[in-house]
């Protein structure tokens, strides 16, 4: 396991516990639409969630595990199961994680559950995408050469595909954090290209990574 891989380790996380003021706010403003998430009276609650999740997730994105902005400022609170699909779960602590902009945007409303449920499921078998509350990150993902995220399970593979975690922009961040942004990263990316099929997404991503690094050195 590479030095950066050890830093990315994430066991199952615990959901936030709402303060009394938050509980009262939710009771006074029952959810009626997916757009209620954007209402200004929930601003302080979301600020609290952002900070708490930032600490709980060891200051990293719940999915790709990249370092987030200090205190989670300007980062995204993601609904594991999209609020568009299940409005009543919009503020459920077990449905909320903190992510980077790229993961949240690319995940969008990707279907997370295997089938519909009346209550928010708590068992791993009900999910087809990674859920930090019921899955262990290291059981489903691994970082190859401190550059490329790879799936160790079907759930890991499904998540990488749905969130486009093979994108070279993720590799750039991994290379920067491992202090290998340069010729070393180019060599490792080239070695991966020799393994991948030339028509594969992985090959194309490694190729883009090399070009981007060469452009900056």
């Amino acid at each position: 396991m590479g030095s950066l891989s050890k830093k990315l380790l994430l066991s199952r996380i615990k959901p936030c516990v709402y303060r009394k003021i938050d509980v009262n706010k939710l009771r006074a403003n029952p959810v009626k639409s997916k757009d209620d998430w954007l209402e200004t009276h929930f601003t302080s609650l979301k600020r609290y969630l952002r900070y708490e999740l930032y600490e709980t997730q060891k200051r990293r994105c719940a999915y790709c595990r990249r370092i987030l902005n200090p205190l989670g400022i300007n980062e995204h609170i993601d609904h594991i199961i999209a609020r568009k699909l299940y409005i009543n779960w919009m503020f459920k602590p077990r449905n909320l994680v903190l992510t980077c902009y790229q993961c949240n945007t690319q995940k969008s409303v990707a279907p997370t559950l295997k089938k519909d449920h009346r209550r928010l499921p708590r068992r791993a078998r009900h999910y087809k995408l990674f859920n930090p509350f019921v899955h262990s990150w290291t059981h489903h993902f691994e970082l190859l050469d401190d550059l490329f995220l790879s799936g160790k399970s079907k759930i890991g593979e499904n998540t990488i595909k749905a969130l486009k975690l093979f994108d070279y922009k993720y590799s750039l961040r991994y290379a920067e954090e491992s202090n290998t942004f340069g010729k070393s990263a180019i060599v490792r990316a080239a070695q991966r290209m020799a393994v991948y099929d030339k028509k594969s997404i992985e090959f194309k991503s490694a190729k883009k990574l090399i070009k981007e690094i060469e452009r900056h050195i």
Side-chain angles (χ1 to χ4, degrees):
M1 181 182 293
S3 57
L4 179 57
S5 298
K6 294 178 181 179
K7 295 180 182 179
L8 304 186
L9 298 180
L10 174 69
S11 300
R12 298 175 189 174
I13 63 175
K14 295 181 179 180
C16 290
V17 177
Y18 283 138
R19 302 164 298 180
K20 185 175 181 179
I21 188 175
D22 301 320
V23 174
N24 291 337
K25 179 74 68 175
L26 289 168
R27 286 175 176 170
N29 299 278
V31 172
K32 298 179 181 179
S33 163
K34 66 179 180 62
D35 295 326
D36 287 351
W37 177 259
L38 305 176
E39 291 293 335
T40 55
H41 47 249
F42 290 129
T43 299
S44 61
L45 185 155
K46 288 188 289 185
R47 187 183 301 117
Y48 165 75
L49 282 171
R50 187 173 285 105
Y51 175 76
E52 290 295 310
L53 289 169
Y54 176 75
E55 293 296 327
T56 301
Q57 296 172 195
K58 299 180 180 179
R59 307 176 183 181
R60 291 182 179 274
C61 172
Y63 299 114
C64 72
R65 301 299 292 143
R66 294 184 300 180
I67 292 178
L68 296 168
N69 294 329
L71 303 181
I73 295 173
N74 294 327
E75 301 292 11
H76 289 214
I77 297 175
D78 174 65
H79 294 83
I80 297 173
I81 303 164
R83 57 190 168 93
K84 180 179 180 180
L85 302 178
Y86 288 85
I87 297 173
N88 292 336
W89 300 349
M90 189 184 303
F91 286 98
K92 292 286 186 181
R94 283 187 171 275
N95 194 37
L96 301 171
V97 290
L98 191 63
T99 72
C100 65
Y101 167 83
Q102 191 170 356
C103 278
N104 181 257
T105 302
Q106 293 180 158
K107 178 173 175 284
S108 187
V109 293
T112 307
L113 293 171
K114 291 182 178 179
K115 63 179 182 179
D116 291 336
H117 289 265
R118 294 182 62 183
R119 295 184 178 181
L120 182 64
R122 296 194 177 195
R123 297 185 181 277
R125 68 171 183 267
H126 296 307
Y127 294 85
K128 59 181 178 180
L129 295 184
F130 176 70
N131 180 335
F133 294 119
V134 300
H135 299 129
S136 172
W137 196 90
T138 51
H139 289 170
H140 301 284
F141 304 98
E142 62 180 329
L143 188 63
L144 305 176
D145 298 325
D146 280 350
L147 284 178
F148 304 104
L149 205 58
S150 177
K152 295 171 63 177
S153 67
K154 189 63 178 178
I155 283 177
E157 292 172 353
N158 288 343
T159 305
I160 287 174
K161 183 177 181 180
L163 276 64
K164 299 180 177 63
L165 296 177
F166 48 75
D167 192 298
Y168 77 97
K169 292 178 182 177
Y170 288 105
S171 298
L172 285 173
R173 294 287 293 273
Y174 295 138
E176 290 172 354
E177 186 176 346
S178 61
N179 294 318
T180 58
F181 187 91
K183 293 182 179 179
S184 175
I186 291 176
V187 170
R188 284 176 287 133
Q191 291 173 338
R192 283 290 161 189
M193 286 177 66
V195 176
Y196 297 135
D197 182 278
K198 291 184 178 181
K199 294 183 179 180
S200 69
I201 293 174
E202 291 83 0
F203 181 91
K204 295 176 181 177
S205 181
K207 188 175 182 179
K208 287 181 180 179
L209 174 63
I210 291 174
K211 287 184 177 180
E212 188 66 19
I213 294 176
E214 289 177 336
R215 195 166 67 87
H216 287 86
I217 62 174

